[in-house]
């Protein structure tokens, strides 16, 4: 790289800058880069027009999305293609008919990976069909973009599976499988540009792509391999308190952790935490496996809630059967020990996956407190076959002792950052969904941002479950928080939820939206986020005078252009 | 009237727009379980006050929760008599919105504790359906009027008892804000019907208590009240009342200017309308001459001693246009309650129950069910 003199130059320029100024520049530069990418695409467009090319290729983009990231990328690609006069259509794999593959000439898959290496729930039907059916797609060309997280053992596994299935059906892979990590944005954009170039070339002389372009895409793929290591940090528990008062049904922890170095993060980012198994559990587990002394070897392996591939493999190895689709290893062993002759400790270890990290929205702002990160963690408690269980990571965090150290990393979540300071925001965050918004409000408070902030919060009871109540009161007092709406579902006979408050305030909400306010939604995906979303659709129907389909599209557009942001789990 | 600076509560009262203040806004302030500071004073006039659990302050502060605010609501039950149905209704309301605990007070009424702000309107509406209200149960107004409740005390007991109702009614504030805030929400009342010649916009300088005793029983502690009426009964006929004024036992610890005082008997009056006029004007004098800068020295007893009993009586007779006669003789020989089964003058039986500290908890096998089972036959319940 020829950067060295430039870096020296830059260093000289910025040596007197404060941390805040540097942070500002950091944002400024990312903005600049984002603009440049658009410029690049319009350069391509210009190139296209100059040569008076008429692209004949009509690629189809198929996405499989769990959190909306794949979907968002799919529409970004579609936009880019259209700018370059390449006709394209976007479909959700959930609703795409597999037989239609036979009619396509080029398909771009954008597919994320969930849980233990599975495809998004909505796309699992497509995967099953692709495995079972025999399709006539030997002329079909395709590319696959996988979205994943290198923190998970089976990085981009679903995309890999998809690639294998397509190859089995004799479809023609045109580019190497692109695996993208959580900070995928820039890489995705670069790859998209190359893909456009590839399409243009293919259109130009109607022949198979030449080796050169393929190589270029392959090189790109090399960079995207999960070889870059996440930065892990050590922190120690500074303080923890259950935010719920006596009599509550919930146990939501406010956790403060001290970091040993300056760690940069933005409100909206999440903390990736690797839980460790409880030692007393491991001792009895190791005992069941025949060697109590080796329990520490199991510390970082996932022995709880085994499912899918891992469960199948273990059942196969132990030659036992169960109707359960999710079971802790210890329960499995205890239930089935009589049938087992001897267990090889090492074999079991080889069949287990490492514990996947869990993500928790950061509930603080660096502007508020350096070297400290706060989390809002709901302790997950449930029953499995009558046995009371706790969520692995929430339990791990809640049981940490003050001063105890643990490892974490920062999970960048650019799609959920604050907008620029001129923009109003509407935050919908019931339950632990309030976490990032505490960070937002701290940040905007500290920086004296003048734009308006509206918070919707909900839980079960006002008296016991009003997370961060005194801080919220302070923000109302100082007018950092412009409006607050609360919904305590069990304080009256009929249940009231945040979406009911949205409905009640529909007129005012619409005004905010019209004036450009950005809507943030954080919290539970099933139930809450769906209800909030259908309420937003209703509000759009009522105020925009459109039908449901159009209103959904409107919200979709808001999502795609960043006026509606989601972080749901 | 004192030239000293008016106390803050005085400003709150006069600027309250008929005891409305910002109560309606306070009720929708969703970030807190309390009402706004000035409304804390006003809500008393609606029969409620706010408290917070001091023992929970620190723990809740650590949880980033605000203080645990709750409200007490006190009913207005003149003479302490309600129907069995009303008793049942109070129970039901307390179970729906409160802690399920009723407290029978020494001033013959019932209080519920531990109500949350968002439960207040429902509670008051629940009471209203049983024809019960909490108007003026606290605050700088005439409070619940108490009266000997033992039917056995006198054959004219019921006739005397009616005075409690009449006096209470006469001395109610005229503002409709209670209904506006707690019942009808936004309905705006015609303010002309709200003109209040008695309380004006200032109300009284301090709380005001009235009791009616029927000799020989002084179970109401008649001389400890701002106004004490002592019923004079001759040959089983009520012939009038001795009027006593300026009683009050409370003192402020460490404040030498405060003292306990027994009410002074200032004369006798026989006609009902004259008695009501006299009572009314004791209040207007207290309204005009009471101390409004120091709440510790604002009760009628201080006004009376400041003016002198003679001057006060002169002013009272002038204002009421009633001449007081010499007090009749009477004797109090007891102030205890008569427990267990008792027979009244009409030969009917009644039962006096001892309720320790006045606290009644919900317990299905106890009072609640007994009364609901017999509510059709039980004629009335009174608090001693």
């Amino acid at each position: 790289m020829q950067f060295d003199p430039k870096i020296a130059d830059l260093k000289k320029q910025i040596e007197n800058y404060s941390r805040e100024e540097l942070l500002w520049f950091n944002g400024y530069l990312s903005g600049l880069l984002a603009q440049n990418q658009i410029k690049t695409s319009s350069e391509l467009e210009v190139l296209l027009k100059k040569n008076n090319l008429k692209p004949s290729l009509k690629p189809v983009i198929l996405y499989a999305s769990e959190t909306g990231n794949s979907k968002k990328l799919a529409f970004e690609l579609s936009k880019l293609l259209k700018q370059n006069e390449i006709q394209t259509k976007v479909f959700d794999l959930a609703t795409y008919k597999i037989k239609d593959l036979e009619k396509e000439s080029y398909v771009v898959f954008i597919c994320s990976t969930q849980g233990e290496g599975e495809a998004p729930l909505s796309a699992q039907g497509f995967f099953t069909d692709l495995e079972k059916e025999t399709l006539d797609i030997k002329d079909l060309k395709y590319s696959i973009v996988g979205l994943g997280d290198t923190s998970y053992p089976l990085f981009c596994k679903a995309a890999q599976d998809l690639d294998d299935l397509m190859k089995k059906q004799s479809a023609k892979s045109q580019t190497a499988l692109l695996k993208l990590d959580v900070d995928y944005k820039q890489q995705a954009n670069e790859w998209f540009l190359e893909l456009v170039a590839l399409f243009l070339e293919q259109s130009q002389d109607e022949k198979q792509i030449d080796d050169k372009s393929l190589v270029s895409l392959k090189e790109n793929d090399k960079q995207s391999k999960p070889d870059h290591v996440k930065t892990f940090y050590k922190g120690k528990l500074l303080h923890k308190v259950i935010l719920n008062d006596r009599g509550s049904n919930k146990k939501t922890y406010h956790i403060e952790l001290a970091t040993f170095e300056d760690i940069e993060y933005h409100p909206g980012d999440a903390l990736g935490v690797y839980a460790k198994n409880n030692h007393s559990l491991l001792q009895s587990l190791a005992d069941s496996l025949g060697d109590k002394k080796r329990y520490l070897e199991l510390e970082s392996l996932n022995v709880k809630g085994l499912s899918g591939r891992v469960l199948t493999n273990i059942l196969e190895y132990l030659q036992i059967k169960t109707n359960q689709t999710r079971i802790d290893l210890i329960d499995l062993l205890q239930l089935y020990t009589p049938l087992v002759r001897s267990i090889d400790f090492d074999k079991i270890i080889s069949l287990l996956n490492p514990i996947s990290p869990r993500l928790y929205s950061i509930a603080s702002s660096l502007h508020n407190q350096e070297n400290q990160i706060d989390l809002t963690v709901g302790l997950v408690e449930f029953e499995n076959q009558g046995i009371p269980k706790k969520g692995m990571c929430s339990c791990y965090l809640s049981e940490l002792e003050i001063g105890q150290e643990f490892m974490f990393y920062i999970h960048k979540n650019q799609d959920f950052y604050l907008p620029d300071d001129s923009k109003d925001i509407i935050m919908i965050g019931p339950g632990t969904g309030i976490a990032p918004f505490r960070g937002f409000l701290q940040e905007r408070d500290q920086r004296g941002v003048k734009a308006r902030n509206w918070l919707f919060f909900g839980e079960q009871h006002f008296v016991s479950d009003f997370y961060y109540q005194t801080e919220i009161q302070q923000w109302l007092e100082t007018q950092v928080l412009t409006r607050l709406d609360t919904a305590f579902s069990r304080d009256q006979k009929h249940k009231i939820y945040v979406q009911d408050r949205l409905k009640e305030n529909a007129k005012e909400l619409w005004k905010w939206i019209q004036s450009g306010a950005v809507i943030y939604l954080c919290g539970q995906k099933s139930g809450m986020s769906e209800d909030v979303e259908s309420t937003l659709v209703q509000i759009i129907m009522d105020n925009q005078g459109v039908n449901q389909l159009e209103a959904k599209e409107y919200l979709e557009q808001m999502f795609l252009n960043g006026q509606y942001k989601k972080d749901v789990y | 009237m004192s030239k000293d600076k008016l106390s803050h509560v005085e400003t709150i009262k006069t600027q309250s727009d008929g005891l409305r203040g910002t109560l309606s806004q306070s009720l929708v302030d969703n970030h807190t379980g309390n009402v706004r500071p000035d409304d804390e004073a006003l809500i008393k006039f609606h029969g409620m006050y706010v408290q917070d659990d001091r023992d929970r302050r620190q723990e809740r502060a650590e949880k980033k929760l605000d203080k645990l605010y709750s409200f007490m609501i006190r009913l207005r039950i003149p003479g302490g008599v309600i129907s069995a149905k009303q008793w049942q209704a109070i129970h039901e309301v307390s179970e729906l919105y409160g802690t399920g605990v009723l407290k029978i007070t020494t001033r013959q009424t019932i209080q519920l504790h531990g109500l949350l702000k968002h439960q207040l309107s429902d509670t008051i509406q629940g009471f209203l359906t049983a024809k019960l209200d909490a108007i003026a149960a606290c605050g700088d107004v005439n409070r619940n009027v108490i009266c000997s409740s033992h039917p056995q005390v006198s054959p004219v007991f019921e006739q005397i008892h009616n005075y409690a109702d009449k006096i209470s009614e006469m001395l109610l504030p005229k503002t409709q804000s209670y209904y506006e805030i707690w019942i009808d929400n936004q309905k705006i009342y015609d303010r002309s019907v709200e003109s209040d010649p008695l309380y004006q916009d200032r109300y009284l300088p301090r709380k005001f208590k009235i009791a009616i005793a029927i000799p020989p029983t002084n179970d109401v502690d008649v001389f400890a009240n701002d106004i004490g009426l002592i019923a004079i009964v001759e040959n089983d006929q009520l012939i009038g009342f001795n009027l006593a004024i300026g009683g009050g036992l409370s003192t402020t610890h460490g404040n030498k200017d405060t003292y306990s005082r027994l009410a002074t008997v200032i004369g006798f009056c026989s006609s009902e309308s004259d008695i009501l006029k006299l009572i009314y004007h004791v209040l207007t004098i207290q309204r005009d001459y009471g101390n409004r800068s120091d709440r510790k020295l604002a009760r009628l007893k201080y006004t009376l001693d400041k003016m002198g009993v003679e001057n006060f009586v002169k002013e009272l007779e002038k204002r009421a246009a009633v001449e007081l006669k010499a007090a009749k003789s009477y004797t109090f020989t007891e102030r205890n309650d008569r427990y267990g089964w008792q027979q009244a003058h009409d030969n009917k039986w009644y039962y006096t129950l001892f309720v320790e500290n006045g606290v009644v908890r919900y317990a299905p096998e106890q009072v609640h069910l007994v009364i609901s089972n017999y509510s059709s036959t039980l004629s009335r319940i009174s608090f001693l």
Side-chain angles (χ1 to χ4, degrees), chain A residues 103-133:
Chain A
K103 297 179 215 155
E104 316 291 5
S105 55
Y106 201 112
V107 176
V108 181
F109 290 99
I110 302 179
C111 175
S112 65
T113 296
Q114 304 309 313
E116 308 284 344
E118 287 125 28
L121 208 60
S122 60
Q124 282 175 10
F126 181 89
F127 274 67
T128 317
D129 291 347
L130 192 59
E131 202 168 357
K132 278 193 300 200
E133 295 199 22

Side-chain angles (χ1 to χ4, degrees), chain B residues 79 105-108 146-154 157 160-161 211-225 229-230 331-339 350 352 382-384:
Chain B
T105 75
T106 54
R107 287 196 72 78
Q108 293 183 306
I146 61 173
C147 181
S148 288
S149 283
H150 257 296
Q152 207 181 33
V153 170
S154 166
F157 148 80
I160 296 165
H161 211 271
I212 306 169
I214 309 173
T217 303
N218 186 16
D219 57 352
V220 295
D221 215 352
V222 72
F223 298 110
N225 286 266
L229 294 177
I230 301 154
T331 330
F332 284 128
T333 58
E334 59 173 37
R335 48 165 307 175
N336 58 315
D337 299 314
R338 304 171 196 184
Y339 293 109
Y350 66 94
T352 307
S382 50
F383 308 113
L384 308 182

Side-chain angles (χ1 to χ4, degrees), chain A residues 57-65 69-83 86-97 100-101 104-111 126 140-147 162 191-192 195-196 199 560:
Chain A
L57 198 72
K58 291 172 190 167
V60 164
I61 305 165
L62 300 177
Y63 68 85
S65 199
N69 287 335
S70 299
K71 185 177 181 180
K72 217 166 177 177
L73 272 186
F75 279 94
E76 272 166 28
L77 175 59
S78 144
K79 194 172 149 191
L80 186 64
L81 291 174
K82 283 173 184 166
Q83 278 173 353
I86 300 170
Q87 288 182 39
T88 182
K89 274 185 181 162
V90 182
F91 295 101
D92 187 344
L93 269 187
T95 53
Y96 186 79
K97 287 195 201 77
D100 286 350
L101 280 181
E104 316 291 5
S105 55
Y106 201 112
V107 176
V108 181
F109 290 99
I110 302 179
C111 175
F126 181 89
L140 176 65
K141 298 171 189 167
Y142 73 93
S143 296
I144 298 179
V145 179
L147 284 185
L162 182 62
W191 191 85
F192 284 172
L195 191 68
V196 170
F199 287 161
L560 294 173

Side-chain angles (χ1 to χ4, degrees), chain A residues 366-522:
Chain A
L366 268 179
H367 283 268
N368 200 59
Q369 194 117 40
E370 278 187 37
N371 298 331
Q372 185 182 319
I373 300 177
D374 297 349
L375 302 177
T376 315
V377 178
L379 179 65
V380 180
E381 290 174 300
F382 59 96
E383 268 192 13
N384 190 6
Q385 307 283 317
I387 307 166
K389 300 278 178 193
K390 284 178 182 173
M392 178 156 48
C393 200
S394 61
C395 176
Y396 168 74
L397 285 171
S398 73
E399 285 175 1
L400 282 177
E401 308 273 344
I402 303 295
Q404 200 175 332
E405 294 184 356
F406 67 105
M407 298 292 286
F408 65 88
Y409 64 92
I410 302 291
H411 173 92
K412 291 277 165 201
N413 191 13
Q414 281 108 326
D415 277 343
F416 208 72
Y417 283 178
L418 277 165
D420 69 64
D421 290 353
S422 67
K423 285 208 166 116
D424 298 337
I425 58 172
I426 298 162
M427 299 164 280
I428 307 166
T432 53
I434 196 172
F437 304 139
R438 181 174 180 260
F440 282 11
L441 289 166
Q442 281 187 353
E443 173 103 3
R444 285 197 147 185
D445 184 11
Q446 286 295 315
R447 300 207 349 257
V449 174
K450 292 282 180 288
R452 298 178 300 171
N453 306 303
W454 187 351
L455 175 67
F456 287 86
F457 174 73
E459 247 300 348
Q460 289 187 348
H461 296 290
F462 170 83
V463 161
S464 58
D465 306 323
F466 196 159
Y467 306 149
Y468 304 111
Q469 181 186 16
T470 49
E471 296 181 358
I472 287 171
Q473 288 175 333
Q474 202 68 40
W475 285 318
L476 282 167
E477 182 109 340
T478 52
Q479 289 168 7
V480 172
L481 191 55
T482 320
R483 287 195 61 158
L484 167 75
D485 280 278
T486 56
F488 293 98
S489 59
R490 301 197 184 177
D491 275 350
Q492 58 282 309
K493 268 183 244 159
H494 62 290
K495 299 216 167 144
I496 296 175
Y497 298 105
V498 279
Q499 59 268 25
D500 299 307
R501 298 300 187 212
L502 293 173
K503 260 177 238 163
E504 287 166 23
N505 291 286
K507 273 228 167 78
E508 186 63 16
L509 262 176
W510 187 248
K511 270 194 219 157
W512 281 55
I513 293 169
Q514 290 301 292
S515 70
V518 181
I519 302 177
Y520 290 81
L521 173 62
C522 183

Side-chain angles (χ1 to χ4, degrees), chain A residues 240-266:
Chain A
K240 66 174 174 179
V241 65
I242 297 179
L243 292 170
N244 310 83
D245 201 5
R246 300 174 193 175
S248 173
N249 299 318
K250 304 275 181 94
K251 281 194 194 109
T252 296
Y253 285 80
H254 170 70
I255 288 175
E256 295 174 4
L257 74 103
T259 62
F260 299 114
E261 55 197 299
D262 284 345
I263 296 171
E264 205 196 300
Y265 69 86
H266 298 276

